Amino acid sequence: MSINVIAVHKTYGTTLALSNVDLIVKPGEFITLLGPSGCGKTTLLRIIAGLERPDSGYIHLDGKDITHDKANQRPINTVFQSYALFPHLNIRDNIAFGLRSRRVPEAEIGPRVDQAVSLVRLDGMTDRRTHQLSGGQQQRVALARALINEPKVLLLDEPMSALDANLRVALQIELRALHRRLGGTFILVTHDQDEALTVSDRVIVMNKGRIIQQGTPSEVYQRPTSRFVASFLGHANFIDAKRGSSGMAETAYGPLRPQEPLSEENATLCIRPEEVLYPIPQTCTNRVSGTVREAIYRGDHQEIWLDPQGLRFTTSGCTPLKIGDHIEVGLPTDNLRVLYA
Amino acid sequence: MRRLPLWVSFIGLFALALLYVPLIGVVIQSFNASRLGLDWKGFTLKWYEQLWANEVIHEAAWNTLVIATVSTVISTVLGTALALAFSRFPWKRRAMTTADNVLYLPVVTPEIVMAAALVVMFSLLRHVHAMFDFGLPAVIIGHVTFQISFVTLTVRSRLSGLPANLDEAACDLYSGGWNLFRRVTLPLIMPGITAGALLAFILSLDDFVITYFTAGPQLMTLPVYIYGSQRRGITPEIHALSTVMLLCTVVLVFVAMRFLQDRKGKAAS
Amino acid sequence: MPEPTPTPLPASCPDTPLVWRGGLSTPRKLRRIGSLLGAPAFMWLGLFFILPGLLLLAIAFATRSPTGGIEWTFTLDNFRRLVGYGSFGWSPANGQIILRSVTIAAATTVICMILAYPLAFFIACRPASSRMLWLIVLTVPFWTNLIVRTYAWLIMLGPESPITRLAAMVGLAEPGAALYPSTTATMLGMITAFLPFMVMPIYSSVEKINWNLLEAAQDLYCSRWGTFRHAILPQTYSALFVGVILTFIPAMGTFLISDILGGARFMLIGNLIQTQFTFGSGNPPYAAALAFVLILLTLIIIALFSRLGGKREELV
């Protein structure tokens, strides 16, 4: 139930979709392929599913080469982006489709469908047509239709993209619980960083056909290795810096002490808005002052844009700031990361 | 509810009247006891009884139905296969365009030209095999020729409306080949096939020109019978026949509309 | 994001396996299956449509045999005769017939257009509950046999019908005489025959009209006519064009309506082809030349249609 993607390369005409991608998915892992549209994440998923052929490279499933297997021979099932439910079949027949394809005896299909239906909590709806269901229900049918086949790997192609925000969060948590319960290997494709951070054990960040960074959600969020990852996952302030003396970095805000000394002449310092300290504690040495350009009320916190450099940060639980206030904030050394890309 | 200027509704209704007045006139006349002329001489079903007793009309009606049914079956099979060939396979653009042009030609060619061409062809082919002699088989061949394009285009538009990922989903769920066609593709395009077949059937029932040219002296169909009878002189029997044909059309339209509505309901998914 | 399906083909290597709609195959194999599926229909069209058409074209350049058949001697006489140079010198009769066909077809098309627009709007503006019924009302004559509809006019224009009496009363016709055969009768027959072909496409485009544009136009101080011209009409152009094709081409080729309602002297191209095409008494090569002219006119209109951006899908 492990998947090995080995040097997979794929082009469409002159467009590069995947550039020699390597990826190892461990058994029982829930990973997310995260990236902007056009980054190749869907292509990679489709290659694993057998709906696309790589130009070169291999896909191994449990050490067995399945690169040349047809999609209908792979013990892998997919939840499609728009669900791809069969409109001419009712829910029961949609879910039973895979079992019927494999000529499972009807006597066995009935109980298994019931089991799958209750797994996704759609009891009592099996005789409905697909268009009579809401988006969330359709998504669950798609999930049941894939899971009933007991796939070694479950692929999910942006399964939440058509749902509204509240439902999405509920289903993300449900999906996570489902994974814990069933314990298979799940691979999810998404462009939604919240979704990636919520559901997966490991996040694979992709851009322009390459894997940029991978790690647990907190690793990728806390320790981005590139400007792209830092800006794609959450918000970040970027400060251009030059190497200064004794571990300091010269920036437009003056000299700042980053996490580690710069190893190259030029670098970018990165700090997330919620890590900026205000009010500023005595111990903080990296002090930046400025005028409030914009103060946005966000309910539980306030978002502040600071002139002159446009530094963004959030405050909570203190007196609200007003536009024009002159303040001083701290950029703690521990959170001031150094990026070279 | 959008309001229209009164004169627009007026012209619209006038246009409808233009379509219906003659038809209603025929229906009324079919119940008129007067043999000649339009003056109302009382209600009668005499003409319908005559119609019912007329052996020639029986034969003509039977021929019309046989031609429509057989030609519809042939053209639906051929047309559906062609539609599948068109939209499911990786053709080069050039080949597609050429095939497309061939497909649209019968749609826009004036009937009389097609009829003339068929006459020429059959007068040669009759020497090859007696089947191509003017008569029932020739008429059926002629009808299929103009039906194919209509069936193909109807089925093709249904096919192109189907998302490609249904096929992929089926493959992902261990289906493929004939199994996939039978369980996914065919049920999904069935509304298109039925609509195409219905269209073909109506076109065949409606056709006069091609039948007239290819039927030869022996074969009689209803339109040919009516055409001939107005030369022999109009009889109230023809009024009755027209009324019956009109009634059949009305039934056919209701069936078709019912069916199209169902299809719309399904398409909503 | 790269278009997920279906994959564009690598044109260079026809035998590279590729995934096609989920299944694994090679372009060569796929094309073979596709050809097998398409072949019967195309062979049928080739044998009974393309080949006969070409044959017809060839006959247009052949000579009439003394028995009224075809003699394979190349000649341009048929085309010369078309513009009036017959065996008895120049006569305008043939040219007149062609001109008359085009004029009648054009007039029919224009009148159909004038009637179809209001009718399409009328039906489109019915409440949704009754619109289906109105559509049925429109479809019934559409699907009624043309010969029945044409024949019905014979009764309506017969000597004793109310219409004829009305016409006689206002002095448009002689009392006691039928209104057919006449040009008016033919026109009436043609208009009612082809009106549904014009209404159907216009109706389906009116149904899809974006009425917000109408509100926008009114919001921007358009007059009623201005609103129609700028907000409504442009949205129906392509349907109108389809309607014109579906009306004009068959109207040009008609022979049934003019035959029944126009009488023996009222000849259109269609009637001429029909009479000339009888082996024995007629002149098939000449009829073929006439058919050739009809095809040419058709192709010109279709070419014009696609040149102006018409979509052929709307023709069916």
Side-chain angles (χ1 to χ4, degrees), chain B residues 1-2 5 12 18-20 26 37-38 85 88-90 100-101 104 108 117 120 124 145 153 167-168 202 205-206 208 223 227 231 234 238-239 257, chain C residues 5 9 20-21 30-31 34 37 44 52 55 59 118-119 125 137 139 141 143 145 147 151-152 155 160-161 192 211 224 249 256 259 298 312-313 316:
Chain B
M1 193 61 252
R2 280 166 215 96
L18 219 50
L19 292 173
Y20 272 93
V26 171
L38 298 170
R88 296 257 142 165
F89 296 95
D100 220 34
N101 286 334
Y104 273 101
V108 295
V120 171
L124 289 179
T145 308
L153 292 168
D167 282 11
E168 293 187 341
I202 287 157
L205 285 184
D206 230 11
F208 166 74
Y227 180 74
R231 304 219 131 167
I234 308 164
I238 302 298
H239 301 168
M257 286 287 171
Chain C
T5 50
L9 282 183
W20 183 256
R21 292 178 163 265
L30 281 168
R31 288 198 188 113
L37 275 172
W44 187 292
L55 217 57
I59 290 174
L119 183 51
C125 290
V137 166
T139 315
W143 285 4
N145 202 302
I147 204 152
Y151 164 84
I155 297 172
E160 289 162 19
S161 87
T192 46
W211 294 96
R224 275 182 96 112
I249 293 175
L256 183 66
D259 189 77
T298 305
R312 287 190 298 194
E313 287 73 24
V316 173

Coordinates of all heavy atoms in Angstrom, one line a residue, chain B residues 1-2 5 12 18-20 26 37-38 85 88-90 100-101 104 108 117 120 124 145 153 167-168 202 205-206 208 223 227 231 234 238-239 257, chain C residues 5 9 20-21 30-31 34 37 44 52 55 59 118-119 125 137 139 141 143 145 147 151-152 155 160-161 192 211 224 249 256 259 298 312-313 316:
Chain B
M1 N -43.1 38.2 -15.7 CA -43.8 38.1 -17.0 C -43.5 39.4 -17.8 O -43.8 40.5 -17.3 CB -45.3 38.0 -16.7 CG -46.1 37.6 -17.9 SD -45.7 36.0 -18.5 CE -44.8 36.4 -20.0
R2 N -42.9 39.2 -18.9 CA -42.6 40.3 -19.8 C -43.8 40.7 -20.6 O -44.5 39.8 -21.2 CB -41.4 39.9 -20.7 CG -40.2 40.1 -19.9 CD -39.0 39.4 -20.7 NE -38.1 38.8 -19.7 CZ -38.2 37.6 -19.3 NH1 -39.0 36.8 -19.9 NH2 -37.4 37.1 -18.4
P5 N -45.8 44.4 -26.8 CA -46.7 45.4 -27.4 C -47.9 44.5 -28.0 O -47.6 43.4 -28.5 CB -45.9 46.0 -28.5 CG -44.5 45.8 -28.1 CD -44.5 44.6 -27.3
G12 N -48.3 37.6 -34.1 CA -48.0 36.3 -33.7 C -49.2 35.4 -33.8 O -49.1 34.3 -34.4
L18 N -52.7 31.5 -39.7 CA -52.4 31.2 -41.0 C -52.0 29.7 -41.1 O -52.3 29.0 -42.1 CB -51.2 32.0 -41.4 CG -51.1 32.5 -42.9 CD1 -52.4 33.2 -43.3 CD2 -49.9 33.5 -43.0
L19 N -51.4 29.2 -40.0 CA -51.0 27.8 -40.0 C -52.2 26.9 -39.8 O -52.3 25.8 -40.3 CB -49.9 27.5 -38.9 CG -48.5 28.1 -39.1 CD1 -47.7 27.9 -37.9 CD2 -47.9 27.5 -40.4
Y20 N -53.1 27.4 -39.0 CA -54.2 26.5 -38.5 C -55.5 26.5 -39.3 O -56.2 25.5 -39.4 CB -54.5 26.7 -37.0 CG -53.6 25.9 -36.2 CD1 -52.4 26.4 -35.7 CD2 -53.9 24.6 -35.9 CE1 -51.5 25.6 -34.9 CE2 -53.1 23.8 -35.1 CZ -51.9 24.3 -34.6 OH -51.1 23.5 -33.9
V26 N -60.0 21.7 -43.2 CA -60.0 20.3 -43.7 C -60.8 19.4 -42.7 O -61.6 18.5 -43.1 CB -58.6 19.8 -43.9 CG1 -58.6 18.3 -44.2 CG2 -57.9 20.5 -45.0
G37 N -68.3 20.9 -52.9 CA -68.5 22.2 -52.4 C -68.4 22.2 -50.8 O -68.3 21.2 -50.2
L38 N -68.4 23.5 -50.3 CA -68.1 23.6 -48.9 C -69.4 23.9 -48.1 O -69.3 23.9 -46.8 CB -67.2 24.8 -48.7 CG -65.8 24.6 -49.4 CD1 -65.0 25.9 -49.4 CD2 -65.0 23.5 -48.8
A85 N -18.3 7.4 -33.6 CA -17.0 7.4 -34.3 C -16.5 8.9 -34.3 O -15.3 9.1 -34.2 CB -17.2 6.9 -35.8
R88 N -15.8 10.2 -30.2 CA -15.1 9.4 -29.2 C -13.6 9.0 -29.6 O -13.0 8.2 -29.0 CB -15.8 8.1 -28.9 CG -17.2 8.4 -28.4 CD -17.1 8.1 -26.9 NE -17.9 9.0 -26.2 CZ -18.3 8.9 -24.9 NH1 -17.9 7.8 -24.3 NH2 -19.0 9.8 -24.3
F89 N -13.2 9.5 -30.8 CA -11.9 9.0 -31.2 C -11.0 10.1 -31.7 O -11.5 11.2 -32.0 CB -12.1 8.0 -32.4 CG -12.8 6.8 -31.9 CD1 -14.2 6.6 -32.1 CD2 -12.1 5.7 -31.3 CE1 -14.8 5.5 -31.6 CE2 -12.8 4.6 -30.8 CZ -14.1 4.5 -31.0
P90 N -9.7 9.9 -31.6 CA -8.7 11.0 -31.8 C -8.5 11.3 -33.3 O -7.5 10.8 -33.8 CB -7.5 10.4 -31.1 CG -7.6 9.0 -31.2 CD -9.0 8.6 -31.2
D100 N -17.2 16.2 -41.5 CA -18.3 17.1 -41.0 C -19.0 17.7 -42.2 O -20.2 17.8 -42.2 CB -17.6 18.2 -40.2 CG -18.5 18.6 -39.0 OD1 -19.1 17.6 -38.4 OD2 -18.5 19.7 -38.6
N101 N -18.2 18.1 -43.2 CA -18.9 18.7 -44.4 C -19.8 17.7 -45.1 O -20.9 18.0 -45.5 CB -17.8 19.2 -45.4 CG -17.1 20.5 -44.9 OD1 -17.8 21.3 -44.1 ND2 -15.9 20.7 -45.2
Y104 N -23.0 17.4 -43.2 CA -24.0 18.5 -43.3 C -24.6 18.7 -44.7 O -25.7 19.3 -44.8 CB -23.3 19.8 -42.9 CG -23.4 20.0 -41.4 CD1 -22.3 19.8 -40.6 CD2 -24.6 20.4 -40.8 CE1 -22.3 19.9 -39.2 CE2 -24.6 20.6 -39.4 CZ -23.5 20.4 -38.6 OH -23.6 20.5 -37.3
V108 N -28.6 20.3 -46.0 CA -28.9 21.5 -46.7 C -29.3 21.3 -48.1 O -29.7 22.3 -48.8 CB -27.7 22.5 -46.6 CG1 -27.6 22.9 -45.1 CG2 -26.5 22.0 -47.1
A117 N -30.7 13.0 -58.0 CA -29.5 12.2 -57.9 C -29.8 10.7 -57.7 O -29.2 9.9 -58.3 CB -28.6 12.8 -56.8
V120 N -31.0 9.0 -60.8 CA -29.9 8.7 -61.7 C -29.2 7.4 -61.2 O -28.9 6.5 -61.9 CB -28.9 9.8 -61.7 CG1 -27.7 9.4 -62.5 CG2 -29.6 11.0 -62.4
L124 N -29.1 3.3 -62.8 CA -27.9 2.6 -63.1 C -27.8 1.3 -62.3 O -27.6 0.2 -62.8 CB -26.6 3.4 -62.8 CG -26.3 4.6 -63.7 CD1 -25.1 5.3 -63.3 CD2 -26.2 4.1 -65.2
T145 N -30.9 7.8 -46.6 CA -29.8 8.7 -47.0 C -30.0 10.1 -46.4 O -29.0 10.7 -45.9 CB -29.8 8.8 -48.5 OG1 -29.7 7.4 -49.0 CG2 -28.6 9.6 -49.0
L153 N -26.3 13.9 -36.1 CA -26.1 15.2 -35.5 C -26.8 15.3 -34.2 O -26.3 15.9 -33.2 CB -26.6 16.4 -36.4 CG -25.7 16.5 -37.7 CD1 -26.4 17.4 -38.7 CD2 -24.4 17.1 -37.3
D167 N -16.5 8.5 -18.3 CA -15.8 7.4 -18.8 C -14.6 7.1 -17.9 O -14.3 5.9 -17.6 CB -15.2 7.7 -20.2 CG -16.3 7.6 -21.3 OD1 -17.5 7.5 -20.9 OD2 -15.9 7.7 -22.5
E168 N -13.9 8.1 -17.5 CA -12.8 7.9 -16.6 C -13.2 7.3 -15.3 O -12.5 6.4 -14.8 CB -12.0 9.2 -16.4 CG -11.4 9.7 -17.6 CD -10.6 10.9 -17.4 OE1 -10.7 11.5 -16.3 OE2 -9.7 11.2 -18.2
I202 N -40.3 11.0 -38.3 CA -41.2 12.1 -38.7 C -40.7 12.5 -40.1 O -41.6 12.8 -41.0 CB -41.2 13.2 -37.7 CG1 -41.9 12.8 -36.5 CG2 -41.7 14.5 -38.3 CD1 -41.6 13.5 -35.3
L205 N -42.1 10.0 -42.6 CA -43.5 10.1 -42.7 C -43.9 11.3 -43.6 O -44.8 11.3 -44.4 CB -44.2 10.3 -41.4 CG -44.3 9.0 -40.5 CD1 -45.1 9.4 -39.3 CD2 -45.0 7.9 -41.3
D206 N -43.1 12.4 -43.4 CA -43.4 13.7 -44.0 C -43.0 13.7 -45.5 O -43.5 14.5 -46.2 CB -42.6 14.7 -43.3 CG -43.4 15.9 -42.9 OD1 -44.6 15.8 -43.0 OD2 -42.9 16.9 -42.5
F208 N -42.3 13.6 -49.3 CA -43.1 13.3 -50.5 C -42.1 13.2 -51.7 O -42.2 12.3 -52.5 CB -44.1 14.4 -50.7 CG -44.7 14.3 -52.1 CD1 -45.6 13.3 -52.5 CD2 -44.3 15.2 -53.1 CE1 -46.1 13.2 -53.8 CE2 -44.8 15.1 -54.4 CZ -45.7 14.1 -54.7
P223 N -48.7 10.2 -48.7 CA -48.5 11.4 -49.4 C -48.7 11.3 -50.9 O -49.3 12.2 -51.6 CB -47.1 11.8 -49.1 CG -46.8 11.1 -47.8 CD -47.6 9.9 -47.9
Y227 N -51.4 13.3 -53.3 CA -50.9 14.0 -54.4 C -51.6 13.6 -55.7 O -52.1 14.4 -56.4 CB -49.4 13.9 -54.6 CG -48.8 14.6 -55.7 CD1 -48.7 16.0 -55.7 CD2 -48.4 14.0 -56.9 CE1 -48.2 16.7 -56.7 CE2 -47.9 14.7 -58.0 CZ -47.8 16.0 -57.9 OH -47.3 16.7 -58.9
R231 N -55.0 15.4 -58.3 CA -55.1 15.5 -59.8 C -56.4 14.8 -60.3 O -56.9 15.3 -61.2 CB -53.9 14.7 -60.4 CG -52.5 15.2 -59.8 CD -51.6 15.2 -60.9 NE -50.9 16.5 -60.9 CZ -49.8 16.7 -61.6 NH1 -49.3 15.8 -62.4 NH2 -49.2 17.9 -61.5
I234 N -60.6 16.3 -56.1 CA -60.7 16.2 -54.6 C -61.9 15.5 -54.2 O -63.0 15.8 -54.7 CB -60.6 17.6 -54.0 CG1 -59.5 18.4 -54.5 CG2 -60.6 17.4 -52.5 CD1 -59.6 19.8 -54.2
I238 N -60.4 12.3 -49.0 CA -59.1 12.9 -48.8 C -59.1 13.8 -47.5 O -58.2 13.8 -46.8 CB -58.6 13.7 -50.0 CG1 -58.5 12.8 -51.2 CG2 -57.2 14.3 -49.7 CD1 -57.6 11.6 -51.1
H239 N -60.2 14.5 -47.4 CA -60.3 15.3 -46.2 C -60.2 14.4 -44.9 O -59.5 14.7 -44.0 CB -61.7 16.0 -46.1 CG -61.9 16.9 -47.3 ND1 -63.1 17.4 -47.6 CD2 -61.1 17.3 -48.3 CE1 -63.0 18.2 -48.7 NE2 -61.8 18.1 -49.1
M257 N -43.1 15.5 -27.0 CA -42.9 16.6 -26.0 C -42.8 16.0 -24.6 O -41.9 16.5 -23.8 CB -44.1 17.6 -26.0 CG -44.1 18.5 -27.2 SD -42.8 19.7 -27.1 CE -42.9 20.4 -28.8
Chain C
T5 N -8.9 16.1 -19.7 CA -9.3 15.1 -20.7 C -9.9 15.8 -21.9 O -10.4 16.8 -21.8 CB -10.4 14.2 -20.2 OG1 -11.4 15.0 -19.7 CG2 -9.9 13.2 -19.2
L9 N -3.3 14.4 -28.9 CA -2.4 13.3 -29.4 C -1.0 13.8 -29.7 O -0.9 14.8 -30.2 CB -3.1 12.8 -30.6 CG -4.2 11.9 -30.5 CD1 -4.7 11.4 -31.8 CD2 -3.9 10.7 -29.5
W20 N -6.8 7.0 -23.2 CA -7.9 7.7 -24.0 C -9.2 7.4 -23.2 O -9.7 6.3 -23.1 CB -8.0 7.1 -25.4 CG -9.0 7.8 -26.2 CD1 -10.2 7.3 -26.5 CD2 -8.9 9.1 -26.8 NE1 -10.9 8.3 -27.3 CE2 -10.1 9.3 -27.4 CE3 -8.0 10.1 -26.8 CZ2 -10.4 10.5 -28.1 CZ3 -8.2 11.3 -27.4 CH2 -9.4 11.5 -28.1
R21 N -9.7 8.5 -22.6 CA -11.0 8.4 -21.8 C -10.9 7.3 -20.8 O -11.8 6.5 -20.6 CB -12.2 8.2 -22.7 CG -12.4 9.4 -23.6 CD -13.6 9.2 -24.5 NE -14.0 10.5 -25.0 CZ -15.0 11.1 -24.5 NH1 -15.7 10.7 -23.4 NH2 -15.4 12.3 -24.9
L30 N -7.2 3.1 -31.9 CA -8.4 3.9 -31.7 C -9.0 4.3 -33.1 O -10.2 4.2 -33.3 CB -8.1 5.1 -30.9 CG -8.0 4.9 -29.4 CD1 -7.4 6.1 -28.7 CD2 -9.3 4.6 -28.8
R31 N -8.1 4.7 -34.0 CA -8.6 5.2 -35.3 C -9.2 4.0 -36.0 O -10.2 4.2 -36.8 CB -7.5 5.9 -36.1 CG -7.1 7.2 -35.5 CD -6.4 8.1 -36.5 NE -5.9 9.2 -35.8 CZ -4.6 9.5 -35.6 NH1 -3.7 8.7 -36.0 NH2 -4.3 10.6 -34.9
G34 N -12.7 3.5 -34.6 CA -13.5 4.6 -35.1 C -13.9 4.5 -36.5 O -15.0 4.7 -36.9
L37 N -16.6 2.0 -37.0 CA -17.9 2.5 -36.6 C -18.5 3.4 -37.6 O -19.7 3.4 -37.8 CB -17.8 3.2 -35.2 CG -17.8 2.4 -34.0 CD1 -17.5 3.3 -32.8 CD2 -19.2 1.8 -33.8
W44 N -22.6 4.4 -47.0 CA -24.0 4.6 -47.4 C -24.1 6.0 -48.1 O -24.6 6.1 -49.2 CB -24.9 4.5 -46.2 CG -26.3 4.6 -46.6 CD1 -27.0 5.6 -47.1 CD2 -27.3 3.5 -46.5 NE1 -28.3 5.3 -47.3 CE2 -28.5 4.0 -47.0 CE3 -27.2 2.1 -46.1 CZ2 -29.6 3.2 -47.1 CZ3 -28.3 1.4 -46.2 CH2 -29.5 1.9 -46.7
P52 N -24.1 9.6 -56.4 CA -25.2 10.1 -57.3 C -25.1 11.6 -57.6 O -25.3 12.0 -58.7 CB -26.4 9.9 -56.4 CG -26.0 8.8 -55.5 CD -24.6 9.0 -55.2
L55 N -22.6 12.0 -60.2 CA -23.2 11.5 -61.5 C -24.1 12.5 -62.1 O -24.1 12.8 -63.3 CB -24.0 10.2 -61.1 CG -23.9 9.1 -62.1 CD1 -22.5 8.6 -62.4 CD2 -24.8 7.9 -61.6
I59 N -23.9 14.2 -65.7 CA -25.0 14.2 -66.7 C -25.3 15.6 -67.2 O -25.7 15.8 -68.3 CB -26.2 13.5 -66.0 CG1 -26.0 12.1 -65.8 CG2 -27.5 13.7 -66.9 CD1 -27.1 11.3 -65.1
P118 N -42.6 38.0 -34.3 CA -43.6 38.2 -33.3 C -44.1 36.9 -32.7 O -44.3 36.8 -31.5 CB -44.8 38.9 -34.1 CG -44.1 39.5 -35.3 CD -42.9 38.6 -35.6
L119 N -44.2 35.9 -33.6 CA -44.7 34.6 -33.1 C -43.8 34.0 -32.0 O -44.2 33.5 -31.0 CB -44.9 33.6 -34.2 CG -45.5 32.3 -33.9 CD1 -46.8 32.4 -33.0 CD2 -45.8 31.5 -35.1
C125 N -43.0 34.6 -24.4 CA -43.4 35.4 -23.3 C -44.7 34.9 -22.7 O -45.3 35.5 -21.8 CB -43.7 36.9 -23.8 SG -42.2 37.7 -24.2
V137 N -48.6 23.6 -29.9 CA -49.4 24.2 -31.0 C -48.6 24.6 -32.2 O -49.0 24.4 -33.3 CB -50.1 25.5 -30.4 CG1 -50.7 26.3 -31.5 CG2 -51.2 25.1 -29.4
T139 N -45.7 23.1 -32.9 CA -45.0 21.9 -33.5 C -45.9 21.1 -34.4 O -45.5 20.5 -35.4 CB -44.4 21.0 -32.4 OG1 -43.8 21.9 -31.5 CG2 -43.4 20.0 -33.0
P141 N -48.3 21.9 -36.7 CA -48.2 22.1 -38.2 C -46.8 21.8 -38.7 O -46.7 21.4 -39.9 CB -48.5 23.6 -38.3 CG -48.7 24.1 -37.0 CD -48.6 23.1 -36.0
W143 N -44.9 19.4 -38.0 CA -44.7 18.0 -38.2 C -45.8 17.4 -39.1 O -45.8 16.2 -39.4 CB -44.7 17.2 -36.9 CG -43.3 17.4 -36.2 CD1 -42.3 18.2 -36.6 CD2 -42.9 16.8 -35.0 NE1 -41.3 18.1 -35.7 CE2 -41.6 17.2 -34.7 CE3 -43.5 15.8 -34.1 CZ2 -40.9 16.8 -33.6 CZ3 -42.7 15.4 -33.0 CH2 -41.5 15.9 -32.8
N145 N -47.7 16.5 -42.3 CA -47.3 16.3 -43.7 C -47.5 17.5 -44.6 O -48.6 18.1 -44.6 CB -48.0 15.1 -44.2 CG -47.2 14.5 -45.4 OD1 -46.9 15.2 -46.3 ND2 -46.9 13.2 -45.2
I147 N -47.8 17.8 -47.6 CA -48.9 17.6 -48.7 C -50.2 17.8 -48.1 O -51.1 18.4 -48.7 CB -48.7 16.3 -49.4 CG1 -49.3 16.4 -50.8 CG2 -49.3 15.1 -48.6 CD1 -48.7 15.4 -51.8
Y151 N -52.5 20.8 -49.4 CA -53.8 20.3 -49.9 C -54.9 21.1 -49.2 O -56.0 21.4 -49.8 CB -53.9 18.8 -49.7 CG -55.3 18.3 -49.7 CD1 -55.9 17.9 -51.0 CD2 -56.0 18.0 -48.6 CE1 -57.1 17.4 -51.0 CE2 -57.3 17.5 -48.6 CZ -57.8 17.2 -49.8 OH -59.1 16.6 -49.9
A152 N -54.7 21.4 -47.9 CA -55.7 22.1 -47.1 C -56.0 23.5 -47.7 O -57.1 23.9 -47.6 CB -55.2 22.2 -45.6
I155 N -58.8 23.7 -50.2 CA -60.2 23.8 -49.7 C -60.4 25.3 -49.3 O -61.4 25.9 -49.7 CB -60.4 22.9 -48.5 CG1 -60.2 21.5 -49.0 CG2 -61.7 23.2 -47.9 CD1 -60.2 20.5 -47.8
E160 N -66.0 28.1 -53.0 CA -67.1 28.4 -52.0 C -66.6 28.7 -50.6 O -67.4 28.8 -49.7 CB -68.1 27.2 -52.0 CG -68.9 27.1 -53.2 CD -69.5 25.7 -53.3 OE1 -69.6 25.1 -52.3 OE2 -69.9 25.3 -54.4
S161 N -65.3 28.8 -50.4 CA -64.8 29.0 -49.1 C -65.1 30.5 -48.6 O -65.2 31.4 -49.5 CB -63.3 28.7 -49.0 OG -62.6 29.8 -49.3
T192 N -46.8 29.3 -45.3 CA -47.3 28.4 -44.2 C -46.4 27.2 -44.1 O -46.2 26.6 -43.1 CB -48.7 28.1 -44.3 OG1 -49.0 27.7 -45.7 CG2 -49.6 29.2 -43.9
W211 N -32.3 38.8 -20.7 CA -33.1 39.9 -20.5 C -32.5 41.1 -19.7 O -33.0 42.2 -19.7 CB -34.5 39.5 -19.9 CG -35.3 38.6 -20.8 CD1 -35.3 37.3 -20.8 CD2 -36.1 39.0 -21.9 NE1 -36.1 36.8 -21.8 CE2 -36.6 37.8 -22.5 CE3 -36.4 40.2 -22.5 CZ2 -37.4 37.8 -23.6 CZ3 -37.3 40.2 -23.6 CH2 -37.8 39.0 -24.1
R224 N -37.9 52.4 -27.0 CA -38.4 51.0 -27.2 C -37.7 50.3 -28.4 O -37.3 49.2 -28.4 CB -39.9 51.0 -27.5 CG -40.7 51.0 -26.2 CD -42.2 51.0 -26.6 NE -42.7 49.6 -26.6 CZ -43.6 49.2 -25.7 NH1 -44.1 50.0 -24.9 NH2 -44.0 48.0 -25.7
I249 N -33.6 27.9 -48.8 CA -33.1 26.8 -49.6 C -34.2 25.8 -50.0 O -34.4 25.6 -51.2 CB -31.9 26.0 -49.0 CG1 -30.7 27.0 -48.9 CG2 -31.6 24.8 -49.7 CD1 -29.5 26.4 -48.1
L256 N -43.6 20.8 -55.0 CA -44.9 20.3 -54.6 C -46.0 21.5 -54.5 O -47.1 21.4 -55.1 CB -44.8 19.6 -53.3 CG -46.0 19.0 -52.7 CD1 -46.5 17.9 -53.6 CD2 -45.8 18.5 -51.3
D259 N -46.7 23.2 -57.7 CA -47.4 22.3 -58.5 C -48.9 22.2 -58.2 O -49.8 22.3 -59.0 CB -46.8 20.9 -58.3 CG -47.3 19.9 -59.4 OD1 -46.9 20.0 -60.5 OD2 -48.2 19.1 -59.0
T298 N -27.3 26.8 -53.3 CA -27.3 26.4 -51.9 C -25.9 26.5 -51.3 O -25.7 27.1 -50.2 CB -27.7 24.9 -51.9 OG1 -28.9 24.7 -52.5 CG2 -27.7 24.4 -50.4
R312 N -23.0 25.7 -37.8 CA -23.8 24.7 -38.4 C -24.6 23.9 -37.5 O -25.6 23.3 -37.9 CB -22.9 23.8 -39.3 CG -22.4 24.6 -40.5 CD -21.7 23.6 -41.4 NE -20.5 23.0 -40.7 CZ -19.6 22.3 -41.3 NH1 -19.7 22.1 -42.6 NH2 -18.6 21.8 -40.6
E313 N -24.1 23.8 -36.3 CA -24.8 22.9 -35.3 C -26.2 23.3 -35.1 O -27.1 22.5 -34.7 CB -24.1 23.0 -33.9 CG -22.8 22.2 -33.8 CD -21.7 22.9 -34.6 OE1 -21.8 24.2 -34.7 OE2 -20.7 22.3 -35.0
V316 N -29.7 21.8 -37.3 CA -30.6 20.7 -37.0 C -31.5 20.9 -35.8 O -30.9 21.3 -34.8 CB -29.7 19.4 -36.9 CG1 -30.6 18.2 -36.5 CG2 -29.0 19.1 -38.2

